[in-house]
Amino acid sequence: MTEKSVIFFDIDGTLLNHDKEMPASTKEAIFALKEKGHEVAIATGRAPFMYEDLRKELDINTFVSYNGQYVVLNGEVIYKNPLITTSLVKLTEAALENEHPIVYMDHEDMKANVPDHDYIKESISTLKVEKFPTHDPNYYKERDILQSLLFCPEGEETQYEAVYKDFDFVRWHPVSVDILPRGGSKLKGIEKIVEKLGFPKERIYAFGDGLNDREMLTHVHNSVAMGNGEEEIKAVAKYVTKSVEEDGILHGLKMVGLL
């Protein structure tokens, strides 16, 4: 009998390829893991409403959303870590002066502080999700905002990094940056789930490819970087598998001995 493990998968560039399609081998591998009794979870920067269909398709009810700020175990919310509202107000004022729009996101929806902007369209469209942010400049004042998106060209986020120390800024697109609570990461969300499940570090696995996977792949005991991943992410991972398109998930799971 194989010892039970928990495996966390990033979505974009890991479960899904550049065209947001999932290789058949990946789906088969996920269900093979579940048949062996392993726990399968998602760890993503996406909002929970951006991958409901994927969770249903793979029958996954445990997930880390918003890079660790919203954590669900077997369908139950076990952790939320919202952005500090007073700091978000100040950041919004500065961003508006620089004509850098912001999208505010909670567990249910996302709203933009401007009615229309090319950067928002350009970046959000690459996710190929049905939901698109509508306009509500006061959305962040009424609820817990778990993540925001700042829209600016590469390099221009440094002016905010120097001033707004309550936040971490992680670029995910040439014109968009994730705004996270300082110190927030997928790793923190994973730790919340592992605490509840009681797995030893030797039986924790994580697959990822992007800059927001750095902490996760640096510290999870069995970390696997995708072949299509960022070079600096491959450098911190314990293993490097093939690309998504080359059946990288299946290959990686075989490589670490889970399949």
Side-chain angles (χ1 to χ4, degrees):
M1 178 67 183
T2 305
E3 276 196 299
K4 190 174 178 181
S5 297
V6 59
I7 307 98
F8 294 88
F9 293 97
D10 170 52
I11 294 178
D12 301 288
T14 302
L15 290 177
L16 304 183
N17 63 19
H18 179 73
D19 296 318
K20 307 307 176 189
E21 297 169 340
M22 182 166 52
S25 65
T26 295
K27 185 173 181 178
E28 291 165 8
I30 297 297
F31 279 98
L33 284 175
K34 293 161 76 72
E35 285 171 14
K36 286 178 173 285
H38 297 302
E39 293 278 350
V40 179
I42 286 172
T44 180
R46 287 189 181 218
F49 54 77
M50 286 183 173
Y51 60 102
E52 286 180 274
D53 290 346
L54 180 64
R55 296 201 306 272
K56 288 177 183 175
E57 183 179 359
L58 297 177
D59 190 26
I60 292 176
N61 299 305
T62 295
F63 53 91
V64 174
S65 281
Y66 287 133
N67 292 308
Q69 315 322 310
Y70 187 77
V71 182
V72 172
L73 174 61
N74 295 322
E76 178 186 352
V77 180
I78 62 168
Y79 179 70
K80 288 188 353 180
N81 183 32
L83 296 166
I84 296 173
T85 304
T86 52
S87 297
L88 193 55
V89 169
K90 293 174 183 176
L91 173 62
T92 295
E93 291 170 353
L96 282 172
E97 288 181 10
N98 295 325
E99 298 184 353
H100 292 156
I102 293 180
V103 165
Y104 311 105
M105 311 171 83
D106 64 2
H107 67 288
E108 294 178 321
D109 207 349
M110 54 182 171
K111 300 288 184 179
N113 69 339
V114 296
D116 191 48
H117 199 283
D118 288 343
Y119 286 173
I120 298 178
K121 292 177 184 175
E122 180 184 339
S123 56
I124 299 292
S125 65
T126 65
L127 297 174
K128 299 192 176 180
V129 293
E130 292 183 8
K131 187 182 283 286
F132 203 81
T134 51
H135 181 222
D136 183 353
N138 296 312
Y139 194 71
Y140 69 103
K141 297 177 180 178
E142 304 165 9
R143 51 189 49 80
D144 286 341
I145 299 301
L146 298 158
Q147 181 170 292
S148 289
L149 303 177
L150 172 70
F151 297 85
C152 63
E154 290 187 66
E156 293 189 20
E157 69 273 20
T158 55
Q159 62 188 297
Y160 303 104
E161 292 172 343
V163 176
Y164 301 97
K165 300 298 186 180
D166 288 330
F167 304 139
D168 284 333
F169 298 83
V170 182
R171 184 163 291 279
W172 65 277
H173 185 276
V175 296
S176 187
V177 176
D178 288 333
I179 304 171
L180 309 174
R182 172 70 73 180
S185 70
K186 292 183 183 182
L187 177 67
K188 293 284 180 67
I190 286 172
E191 288 172 345
K192 297 298 179 184
I193 290 173
V194 171
E195 284 172 12
K196 294 279 190 180
L197 294 178
F199 283 94
K201 65 179 183 180
E202 293 80 12
R203 298 215 303 274
I204 304 168
Y205 296 77
F207 285 69
D209 73 299
L211 297 178
N212 62 342
D213 296 317
R214 187 197 311 274
E215 292 83 1
M216 176 177 81
L217 296 187
T218 299
H219 297 287
V220 167
H221 189 75
N222 302 292
S223 59
V224 185
M226 303 301 293
N228 50 276
E230 301 277 353
E231 290 305 316
E232 59 191 280
I233 296 306
K234 293 179 189 177
V236 301
K238 188 173 183 179
Y239 305 96
V240 178
T241 184
K242 297 179 180 180
S243 70
V244 184
E245 299 284 10
E246 298 174 304
D247 302 322
I249 293 296
L250 177 60
H251 178 80
L253 290 169
K254 288 181 176 178
M255 182 170 57
V256 300
L258 288 171
L259 289 181

